[in-house]
Amino acid sequence: MRIGIFDSGIGGLSTLLACLRRLPDAEYLFYGDTANAPYGDQDPDAVLRLTRYAYDWFIAAGADAVVLACNSATSAAVAPLRERAQVPIIGIEPAVKKALDAHPTGGILLLATQLTVSGEKLRALLARLPEASERVQAVACPGLMEIVESQGSSLDGNVRAYLERYLLPQLRETPRAVVLGCTHYCWVDAHIQAALGGDVAIVDGNDGVARQLWRRLQLGPLPAQAPALPRSARVHFHFTSDNVDKTRLATDLLARSEVAILPVHPSRQDPGQPTP
C-alpha cells in the first residue's frame, strides 16, 4: 500500500509521524512543494493548481490514498480535488472541536496561516460549533512557517522573538488551549507553549488525519490508542527545490523521533517544478 503525503514543505512530517503510528507497514511518498512555499499567503486558485499537480504526481506514482498535510492546501483544494479523485483524499483542518471538547471552559487560540484563517472552510467549521464564536480567537501567523522551514541554527531564538513581538500582543486573553492550524507549527510546539504558559494545552489534528486515513482505506476496527512509532519506515521524499538538502533535513527530523528511513523508489520520474 502506498500513501501520498503532501505539504508545502517539512511541516507535514508531523502528519507522516501520526500516519506511521497507525499504518507502519505502508510505503509513503512525501511531496514537499518547497519551490512554491509558503502557501498560506498565496491566492487560493494558485494553491489549488499546485495541489492538483502534486495529486497527479501521486496518482502516477501509484498512491492508494493522498493526505493533504497542509491546512492551506486543504482549505483551497480538497473539495475540488475530491470531485475528480481516483483514490481517497484526506484533508487536515484545525482541531478546534477537539480543543473545545477537551477544554469546556476558557479561551481557545487558533494559530494558522492567513489563507486558512480567511478561508471559507474555517468559517464553515466555526459556524458548526456553537461555542466557537465566543471562545475561539483565530490569529494568522505570517512568516512563522518560513522560520520553521529554515530549521537553521538560530531557529529557537527566531521563534521566541516572533512569538514575543507578533503573537503575544494580539491575545485578548491567556488561552486554555492552543490549536496548531499549520503542521509546521507542530515542530515548535514547545516554544509556543512556553510563550503562553506551561499549563496551556497544545492541540493538533494529525492523529485525526491518521484515523480518517485508516477508515477511508477500510482497514477494519480502529484501535482506540495509536501504537508506538515504528523503528523504521519506508519513505520516498520529493521536494520541488533543494531536494537533497531537504531530504537530509527530513531524515534528520524523523530520526529525532527514532524513526530510521528505508528508501522507496516511485514508479515514475520526478516532475519538473510547477509554478503558481
Side-chain angles (χ1 to χ4, degrees):
M1 180 183 299
R2 288 192 147 192
I3 308 299
I5 296 187
F6 174 66
D7 188 36
S8 60
I10 62 171
L13 295 173
S14 60
T15 310
L16 172 61
L17 286 171
C19 292
L20 282 172
R21 291 182 184 274
R22 299 288 183 178
L23 292 88
D25 298 326
E27 292 183 347
Y28 290 88
L29 307 171
F30 187 95
Y31 184 120
D33 192 14
T34 44
N36 296 292
Y39 277 13
D41 302 328
Q42 292 200 38
D43 179 87
D45 289 340
V47 174
L48 171 59
R49 185 162 56 251
L50 294 167
T51 308
R52 277 178 171 158
Y53 187 95
Y55 170 81
D56 290 340
W57 187 91
F58 287 126
I59 295 302
D64 298 293
V66 173
V67 173
L68 303 184
C70 173
N71 285 268
S72 297
T74 298
S75 178
V78 72
L81 276 183
R82 283 174 176 162
E83 293 177 358
R84 52 168 281 193
Q86 303 172 42
V87 300
I89 298 179
I90 293 83
I92 189 169
E93 65 181 17
V96 177
K97 185 177 186 306
K98 178 181 176 181
L100 289 169
D101 290 346
H103 306 282
T105 62
I108 305 295
L109 175 64
L110 166 61
L111 304 181
T113 66
Q114 184 60 56
L115 194 155
T116 297
V117 169
S118 60
E120 178 58 36
K121 197 169 191 304
L122 178 62
R123 284 195 291 270
L125 171 65
L126 297 179
R128 296 195 302 268
L129 303 172
E131 298 177 76
S133 61
E134 295 181 359
R135 296 184 56 203
V136 177
Q137 180 184 6
V139 175
C141 297
L144 183 55
M145 174 269 183
E146 293 92 322
I147 295 173
V148 177
E149 185 74 21
S150 71
Q151 288 290 312
S153 58
S154 59
L155 172 66
D156 292 350
N158 287 341
V159 171
R160 287 195 297 270
Y162 179 95
L163 297 174
E164 292 172 0
R165 180 184 70 254
Y166 180 80
L167 175 61
L168 296 183
Q170 296 193 66
L171 300 186
R172 64 190 186 203
E173 63 178 323
T174 300
R176 177 66 190 89
V178 179
V179 176
L180 304 182
C182 172
T183 51
H184 278 80
Y185 304 168
C186 297
W187 293 101
V188 291
D189 56 352
H191 293 297
I192 294 170
Q193 187 174 47
L196 298 173
D199 59 344
V200 172
I202 303 293
V203 182
D204 68 62
N206 284 321
D207 186 57
V209 170
R211 287 186 280 113
Q212 180 67 359
L213 175 63
W214 177 287
R215 286 189 288 264
R216 292 294 307 278
L217 291 172
Q218 300 180 348
L219 298 177
L222 178 67
Q225 298 297 323
L229 281 168
R231 300 303 298 271
S232 63
R234 292 176 292 171
V235 184
H236 170 78
F237 294 107
H238 171 74
F239 294 94
T240 55
S241 66
D242 302 319
N243 186 56
V244 172
D245 290 341
K246 288 294 185 180
T247 296
R248 185 182 302 114
L249 173 58
T251 302
D252 291 345
L253 285 173
L254 295 182
R256 296 180 194 177
S257 297
E258 300 183 346
V259 177
I261 298 305
L262 306 176
V264 170
H265 299 288
S267 59
R268 58 160 286 169
Q269 294 182 346
D270 287 341
Q273 296 179 7
T275 56

